[in-house]
Amino acid sequence: KGGKKISCQWYNAPLADDDESIYGFLTLAQDITKQQQTEENLKKAREDLELRVKYRTAELAKANEVLRNEISERKEIEKELKKQDFRLIETQKVAKIGNWDLDLTISKLDWSEETYKLFDKDPENFIPNFDEFARLVHPNDLETMQTKFNNALESDENPYHAEVRIINDSGREWVMEAFGKVIRDENGKALSIFGTAQDVTERSLIDALQESEKRFKKIFEDATDGILLADLNGKFFDCNSRMTEMLGYSKNKIKKMGVKDIHPEKNLPYILDKFKKMARGEISLATNIPIKRRNNSVLYADISSTHVELAGERYMMGTFRDMSEYKKIEAQLQQSQKMEALGTLAGGVAH
């Protein structure tokens, strides 16, 4: 048609007379060129669509894989964060340390779980605030705490650090050590302060005990009387410098000795009986007790005793007062009295 090729679709129908004898055919031709072109276009469009769908499906599959990896990584991060939170909570429990955060702009105080426990409070029934906290501070420590808190708000040169006694509503008294960090705006105005609160009661008791021991040791060493520490069986545990002077032994040597080693053998039954009575608390003073020195000389001492506890063990502390000089003076006095009596007697006889 017009020099162009076209596509046709042919339809043939037989022609018959009354006797049903076929005498010819009726032929129709339909131009289907446009229909074929449309079908080809549709086929190409379908192929293009399938290709785009395949490409998009591959993109979505890749995106899904990335998303799955991100979700997996996020789950691992969340798992690690939960593990760290758990460790933090458990560490706070072990260390008896909690954290707090005070928003100064709205006067809102937040406590961690362990902080509630330190103050014997139920987070379901108690809302923390600064006034309530201050109410629980020991009256003798309140001014110190408030001063240090105000100083910290005024300047970062005074970081918040306070150790105060707390009296919970439950009646439990404990020592709290608190550290804080102030957050400021660009003009230096304090916006909030956050920090930690720790129960340091045991440490404070240990510090007090150590300080008491220091004072005891100073008194122990500076005493003008000899002092011996012995267990209830008479084994020496420690002594002061004055005792080493009185006995003539070094401290290490005395620590290896016992009651039986520093008294004349002939006096031991009497002395051991006195020691046992002191150990039972029946007497606290024994007078005129002979003490055998390293050079075998003997001095006499009055011994007073008391029970002390060191590192959970009971000991007897004996204070030895050297009465040797007193005995010399007493002997001289007795001798003088005798001489005076003899002189009086001689004078009487002469008359």
Side-chain angles (χ1 to χ4, degrees):
K1 179 180 180 180
K4 293 182 181 181
K5 292 183 179 181
I6 62 173
S7 297
C8 295
Q9 186 172 354
W10 298 87
Y11 297 94
N12 296 312
L15 300 173
D17 56 19
D18 294 337
D19 297 330
E20 296 184 352
S21 298
I22 296 173
Y23 63 86
F25 289 90
L26 177 64
T27 301
L28 295 174
Q30 182 181 6
D31 186 352
I32 59 172
T33 303
K34 291 184 178 179
Q35 179 180 344
Q36 283 185 335
Q37 186 64 43
T38 299
E39 289 177 351
E40 288 179 1
N41 290 339
L42 286 174
K43 181 180 179 182
K44 184 177 180 182
R46 185 165 53 249
E47 290 175 348
D48 289 344
L49 179 61
E50 289 177 351
L51 184 63
R52 286 198 296 271
V53 168
K54 184 177 180 181
Y55 177 75
R56 182 58 178 164
T57 300
E59 285 185 332
L60 289 175
K62 185 177 180 180
N64 286 336
E65 182 65 24
V66 172
L67 183 60
R68 278 194 297 270
N69 290 336
E70 289 180 353
I71 292 174
S72 178
E73 290 177 2
R74 185 172 299 174
K75 286 182 178 180
E76 287 297 320
I77 293 173
E78 290 175 352
K79 183 178 178 181
E80 184 62 28
L81 288 175
K82 287 180 179 179
K83 184 187 294 185
Q84 291 180 7
D85 287 342
F86 174 78
R87 288 174 178 170
L88 176 61
I89 292 173
E90 291 303 308
T91 300
Q92 289 186 343
K93 287 180 181 179
V94 172
K96 295 182 180 179
I97 183 171
N99 56 278
W100 49 270
D101 191 337
L102 176 61
D103 188 334
L104 298 169
T105 61
I106 57 176
S107 299
K108 184 175 183 295
L109 178 62
D110 291 321
W111 282 356
S112 69
E113 179 182 343
E114 188 60 26
T115 306
Y116 278 100
K117 290 181 179 180
L118 290 175
F119 286 87
D120 295 331
K121 294 296 184 181
D122 182 356
E124 298 293 329
N125 304 316
F126 178 77
I127 299 176
N129 61 74
F130 189 81
D131 290 338
E132 273 296 299
F133 159 70
R135 181 180 65 81
L136 299 174
V137 177
H138 193 287
N140 294 340
D141 297 343
L142 183 58
E143 184 178 353
T144 298
M145 183 278 296
Q146 191 68 62
T147 299
K148 291 187 175 183
F149 185 81
N150 292 337
N151 289 342
L153 295 183
E154 291 175 3
S155 172
D156 288 336
E157 294 180 359
N158 304 303
Y160 181 59
H161 176 214
E163 187 171 310
V164 296
R165 289 165 291 177
I166 303 294
I167 305 176
N168 290 354
D169 287 331
S170 62
R172 183 173 70 90
E173 183 173 334
W174 55 287
V175 179
M176 178 193 74
E177 183 177 35
F179 291 90
K181 169 68 176 178
V182 177
I183 302 300
R184 305 180 187 278
D185 62 14
E186 61 275 9
N187 297 318
K189 180 182 178 181
L191 300 177
S192 66
I193 179 172
F194 69 95
T196 60
Q198 183 175 14
D199 184 348
V200 294
T201 307
E202 292 182 7
R203 190 190 72 190
S204 295
L205 290 174
I206 292 173
D207 290 344
L209 180 59
Q210 290 176 342
E211 184 61 30
S212 177
E213 287 181 352
K214 286 182 181 178
R215 290 196 298 268
F216 172 78
K217 286 181 178 178
K218 180 169 178 57
I219 295 171
F220 185 77
E221 285 298 330
D222 294 347
T224 56
D225 293 326
I227 300 177
L228 266 174
L229 288 173
D231 62 24
L232 300 184
N233 294 318
K235 175 72 173 59
F236 296 149
F237 173 73
D238 200 0
C239 69
N240 68 348
S241 299
R242 175 57 181 149
M243 199 70 219
T244 63
E245 294 173 3
M246 292 173 66
L247 294 178
Y249 294 103
S250 68
K251 181 175 290 192
N252 288 335
K253 178 62 177 178
I254 292 175
K255 287 181 179 181
K256 298 177 183 179
M257 301 168 68
V259 173
K260 296 179 180 180
D261 299 312
I262 64 168
H263 299 285
E265 188 174 351
K266 64 179 181 179
N267 301 109
L268 280 179
Y270 171 78
I271 292 170
L272 291 177
D273 178 65
K274 291 289 185 182
F275 179 84
K276 290 177 182 178
K277 288 181 179 179
M278 286 180 168
R280 293 193 297 263
E282 296 176 5
I283 62 172
S284 60
L285 178 64
T287 60
N288 203 33
I289 301 299
I291 308 297
K292 184 178 68 174
R293 308 183 68 205
R294 182 180 181 181
N295 61 8
N296 289 322
S297 63
V298 175
L299 63 84
Y300 288 83
D302 287 351
I303 305 173
S304 59
S305 70
T306 185
H307 288 82
V308 295
E309 186 170 316
L310 298 173
E313 298 290 336
R314 290 191 68 197
Y315 294 93
M316 288 179 61
M317 184 172 72
T319 302
F320 291 66
R321 175 154 295 178
D322 187 350
M323 304 300 291
S324 300
E325 289 300 319
Y326 174 80
K327 287 185 70 65
K328 285 181 180 180
I329 295 173
E330 185 180 41
Q332 290 174 358
L333 179 59
Q334 289 176 351
Q335 182 65 25
S336 176
Q337 289 173 343
K338 286 181 180 180
M339 294 301 293
E340 184 178 347
L342 286 174
T344 301
L345 179 60
V349 171
H351 289 292

